[in-house]
Amino acid sequence: MEEDILRVLKALKRREPLTPGKRVRDFQLRVQRVKNGEPAEFEGFLLLRKPPNAPDDAVYYILSPLQPSDLQKTSITSYLILRITEDSRISGNVRSGSYVRVLGFMDSYPYGTLRMLRVSELRSEDYSKYWLQYDEMALSKREFENLFMDTIYANYDFEKAFLYSLFASPKIVGSNREWGEGVTFSAFKNRDRIVLSIWEAVKYITGLFPRELHLRKEKKWHFVDEYLDLDFVVYLSETPVRYYSPFSKAVLKNEIPAPKWAFRYFKSKNAVFLTPKKAKILPNDPLAYLSEVPFILNEPVGYERNRELEQLIPNVITTIFKERAKMASMSMGDRALQRFRERFEDWIIRNKREYGEKFDALRLSGMIFETNTRFLLSTNLLGSMARFEGGLKRSIISDVLIINQEILDMWMNEIPPDILMKAVKNYERYISGDRRANIALSIFMDLEATSADGSVSREEFHNALVKYGFRENDAAKIIERLMREGYLYEPFAGKLRMIKY
């Protein structure tokens, strides 16, 4: 009896799903409440298709409260007819499937029971607002975490890092790289069973996301409304957050497990890439090089279909967009990121002492722990975690460095000894006899000694090199080289800092 009561109580506490049917019913109620002749304002998706029996006195289109992929998920439909004339003001990039805001005066459609808006203004809107309409239905951090922890079974840090990745990362203002909000969550092993298990788990979860949030080559598709006997051509709305997982297991062996058309999104971080890779563990792997969390797994990942997760996916997406809106960007000038830079430098120094030349070899240009790139990737991870946690808390900085340490230890243990020693020899060849680089570093240290914040502007360093005998062109090259090889890094645009041992 007591177990039955607990089961009922648990059921009563279950979160209400944000279904397409709820959106339709709420939209229909709003339409019905407005009387003919009254001003009204609505948001929805524009369908550039004439409604049935449209008169010839104006242009008539359709407004849907649902994004195109949601139209296929409900038997309840509701549309608002838009009457557009020469006096209607239209602004923004508007096409079929665009999320728009329309203002005008309510009227009845001449045929049938549909309502009509005589449009005075129509403008494109940020697609994110579709998910923010019901931000009160977002999940709590615990609800969000429990949903996924009940679905994926893997190393705890792997599970958490996967959740962080779903939130993408705020844009970093002041960074020397123009990255978008995307992140790359990757996992490596040269064993089919492990790699395929990761792929299947990730593919299941991303497959629950609506088509509008998938990174795809095709930008449009056809949809047929059998009730109104109308066919629509719709285009994907522009959104800064899209998700990619490999469509086929065949690409899991590629250097970048994605089709060629997706490479530009990968390199500019304009999508969230969630992908495993079957490969030898190499320190210059291009996927690992641009991954915030390049895990190496030695056990398969388990997952099971989770009906509650499937029902609450709209709530999950609402949560992601809500937290994204709360933290759209971070600035390198913020005190929290300055603390993170200091802690990151300390982390570099500790591992330099722990691993010596092995660590230095992995920080050369193109290697997985190239200093400046790894700093920026770690900052991205910090932003993702801050979104998940609801703010940039001090404890998150420690968590990022703990994850970094785990990943570094994994790679140190998993890189074949002969490959690691080859990297060390390359490093030794680089540092031996490079008198000009040593002179340049000495000049930088002199400038740094008089700097108020421990950083030196790129322009100041360049001018000092020229003053001490470097040619203009050589000065620019030596700065880039010192950054590539891990002696200097650029925590924010135009400012250089040195890693001290």
Side-chain angles (χ1 to χ4, degrees), residues 2-14:
E2 184 178 348
E3 290 181 358
D4 292 337
I5 294 172
L6 290 173
R7 195 178 300 113
V8 171
L9 289 173
K10 185 177 180 180
L12 290 173
K13 291 182 179 179
R14 186 168 295 171

Side-chain angles (χ1 to χ4, degrees), residues 219-470:
K219 300 296 184 183
K220 65 179 181 179
W221 76 94
H222 293 265
F223 171 72
V224 177
D225 185 316
E226 296 180 357
Y227 179 74
L228 291 180
D229 193 26
L230 295 175
D231 60 305
F232 305 110
V233 176
V234 291
Y235 292 81
L236 289 172
S237 297
E238 290 298 322
T239 171
V241 181
R242 291 196 197 282
Y243 298 86
Y244 170 86
S245 62
F247 308 135
S248 164
K249 64 181 179 182
V251 303
L252 300 181
K253 298 179 182 179
N254 295 351
E255 275 199 335
I256 305 296
K260 289 183 179 180
W261 62 262
F263 286 4
R264 63 188 180 94
Y265 295 94
F266 171 78
K267 292 177 180 178
S268 61
K269 290 197 175 287
N270 278 314
V272 176
F273 281 76
L274 306 164
T275 178
K277 178 179 176 180
K278 184 186 178 186
K280 292 181 180 179
I281 308 304
L282 299 176
N284 60 344
D285 186 281
L287 177 63
Y289 175 73
L290 279 180
S291 294
E292 281 75 5
V293 281
F295 278 93
I296 299 172
L297 291 189
N298 293 311
E299 296 292 337
V301 169
Y303 85 97
E304 62 179 343
R305 296 193 60 175
N306 184 339
R307 185 178 179 185
E308 186 178 13
L309 174 63
E310 293 173 3
Q311 292 175 336
L312 292 176
I313 277 294
N315 304 66
V316 166
I317 299 169
T318 294
T319 308
I320 291 170
F321 275 89
K322 181 179 180 179
E323 295 305 324
R324 176 186 171 274
K326 284 168 57 178
M327 183 176 285
S329 64
M330 298 190 303
S331 172
M332 283 295 187
D334 292 345
R335 178 56 192 152
L337 287 193
Q338 291 176 6
R339 276 200 306 270
F340 178 63
R341 289 202 302 273
E342 294 164 3
R343 295 283 302 277
F344 182 84
E345 289 183 4
D346 292 342
W347 178 78
I348 293 284
I349 293 167
R350 283 199 313 274
N351 283 287
K352 162 70 176 174
R353 292 169 181 162
E354 174 72 20
Y355 289 112
E357 287 188 342
K358 293 180 180 178
F359 183 50
D360 288 334
L362 298 186
R363 295 193 297 112
L364 291 180
S365 175
M367 294 293 188
I368 182 174
F369 291 102
E370 179 186 304
T371 307
N372 191 244
T373 300
R374 185 51 50 184
F375 168 73
L376 294 174
L377 291 170
S378 300
T379 306
N380 267 15
L381 177 59
L382 183 75
S384 298
M385 294 174 68
R387 282 181 171 176
F388 175 76
E389 298 289 348
L392 189 52
K393 304 171 185 176
R394 182 171 294 189
S395 61
I396 298 176
I397 293 177
S398 297
D399 291 341
V400 170
L401 296 175
I402 288 170
I403 291 176
N404 274 1
Q405 189 64 49
E406 180 179 349
I407 291 170
L408 173 60
D409 294 341
M410 283 180 189
W411 282 80
M412 282 293 186
N413 291 326
E414 294 282 346
I415 296 173
D418 58 326
I419 293 175
L420 185 55
M421 289 311 299
K422 183 179 179 181
V424 171
K425 287 179 181 178
N426 287 337
Y427 167 74
E428 289 174 344
R429 277 199 298 270
Y430 163 73
I431 63 171
S432 61
D434 197 340
R435 182 171 173 273
R436 287 169 63 80
N438 290 333
I439 291 172
L441 283 173
S442 176
I443 294 170
F444 185 90
M445 291 172 67
D446 291 340
L447 295 173
E448 183 189 46
T450 59
S451 168
D453 63 355
S455 64
V456 177
S457 75
R458 182 188 285 259
E459 182 181 6
E460 183 182 14
F461 186 29
H462 181 277
N463 291 341
L465 290 174
V466 173
K467 178 181 177 182
Y468 283 93
F470 287 81

Side-chain angles (χ1 to χ4, degrees), residues 149-165:
M149 294 301 185
D150 290 343
T151 305
I152 295 181
Y153 306 103
N155 171 289
Y156 179 74
D157 288 329
F158 178 94
E159 293 177 349
K160 290 298 290 287
F162 176 78
L163 293 189
Y164 303 146
S165 300

Side-chain angles (χ1 to χ4, degrees), residues 34-40 104-108 115-118:
V34 184
K35 297 178 181 179
N36 286 351
E38 291 184 347
F105 296 87
M106 191 62 77
D107 206 340
S108 297
R115 302 293 300 281
M116 179 179 73
L117 190 72
R118 296 179 180 271

